[in-house]
Amino acid sequence: MQEYFIIIISAVLVNNIVLSQFLGICPFLGVSKKLTASLGMGGAVSFVLVLSGSITWLLQQYVLNPFKIGYMQTVAFILVIAALVQFVEMVMRKFTPPLYKALGIYLPLITTNCAVLGVAIINIQKDLSFTKALVNSLGHSAGFTLALVLMSGIRERLEEADIPESMQGAPIALVVAALMSMAFLGFSGLL
Amino acid sequence: MNLMQEFTKGIIKENPLFRLMLGTCPALAITTSVENGLGMGAAFTGVLLASNIVISLMRSIIPASVRIPAYVVIIASFVTMTDQLMHAFTPGVYKSLGIFIPLIVVNCIILGRAEAFASRNSVVPSIVDALGMGLGFTIALVMVCTFREVLGSGTFLGIQLLPEGIPAILMILPPGGFITLGCLLGFLNKMQKKYAL
């Protein structure tokens, strides 16, 4: 039990996927202007991330490893993720139209979100067991959502601030991210 | 079509990192030393060049409805090759770039060039476009790396510049990446307004 707790704390706070591992920066900067949008993006990414994390683990363990084609990892994983995103999109459109409408535009973007492929590869590199890989994916997606929601809270207030013209938009968002990342560095004493 | 123009647009006017804000993940993560930046730039340019050539050659064969998966498979194959080559010939850089070599697959710049350029142009302009974009991205990476390495570890390409004890370790930690890129972008925005680049 303790092991799982450590994995979760490490994934959410200490090694936060956005602020200390730099995965998923594009949506972090692009979709963090409004709180509702960032919650939607966080939800969609979490969903795909956990699903793809489990499927790629099974794929690696039962297909790539037995046939000794580990070098096909990148190609196999990206195909799984792309197919999964398409599949999730179709299922959502059929069964939960309101949710599909809410997430609509973010769904196709998830294929090229490096957080999804990144966590799948990290799970394999760390040699985690299936349950640990699942917990690790859950922790990382919670960390992603947390970073996105915190960022959007700050940016909603930044809208009203008087920022020099050349720093508006992405530059100031990056500086804010730097301060957040410094705060998250403080968590490294936790473990 | 002016080839020189295709080449230079990737360096200044449409610089993938500074102008289009694409490829920010590797630009923040691996820019702790100039050596890493050059390695990443080379790997990226190689993959972009190869995928641009193949995609522009196959542009009339690939049906429009499945073009994105087709591009992704082409790019992923070249990324795998690069991964294996770097593992064999440059083990040091391979180790420090780590997970960001396979992640070149999801680098939006490469898919973006495939969709916006290589699928609509013949081979020669596509090669020129890939070289320009690759060089532009490499220059941008090296700029970020230079600030971070000099301030963070007091060296440049491993050569000691600042006396020991002075470096601000923060610059090679995650916050340093965000702050360097943020300030550089702000500065370049200002320059662009001033000189209308």
Side-chain angles (χ1 to χ4, degrees), chain A residues 74-75 78, chain B residues 47-48 50-52 54-55 68-82 102-115:
Chain A
T74 317
V75 183
I78 193 70
Chain B
V47 173
L48 180 59
S51 68
N52 252 15
V54 171
I55 289 169
I68 302 284
Y71 297 162
V72 170
V73 173
I74 292 171
I75 295 168
S77 330
F78 285 117
V79 170
T80 306
M81 282 181 214
T82 314
L103 284 183
I104 297 178
V105 180
V106 285
N107 191 317
C108 327
I109 306 170
I110 299 185
L111 196 59
R113 289 334 285 171
E115 171 76 8

Side-chain angles (χ1 to χ4, degrees), chain A residues 5-91:
Chain A
F5 190 67
I6 290 178
I7 291 180
I8 289 200
I9 294 287
S10 149
V12 178
L13 299 174
V14 182
N15 292 317
N16 186 285
I17 189 162
V18 179
L19 296 169
S20 72
Q21 299 195 53
F22 303 115
L23 296 171
I25 301 285
C26 302
F28 177 67
L29 293 177
V31 203
S32 62
K33 282 184 185 132
K34 284 271 168 309
L35 192 61
T36 45
S38 62
L39 273 174
M41 187 68 184
V45 168
S46 305
F47 190 65
V48 175
L49 205 157
V50 173
L51 261 181
S52 73
S54 342
I55 295 179
T56 50
W57 191 91
L58 294 171
L59 183 73
Q60 176 82 24
Q61 212 66 17
Y62 294 108
V63 180
L64 298 186
N65 283 351
F67 292 107
K68 297 202 170 48
I69 44 170
Y71 58 86
M72 288 297 283
Q73 196 191 49
T74 317
V75 183
F77 282 17
I78 193 70
L79 279 177
V80 167
I81 293 168
L84 198 67
V85 170
Q86 200 87 59
F87 178 70
V88 168
E89 205 180 329
M90 271 151 52
V91 170

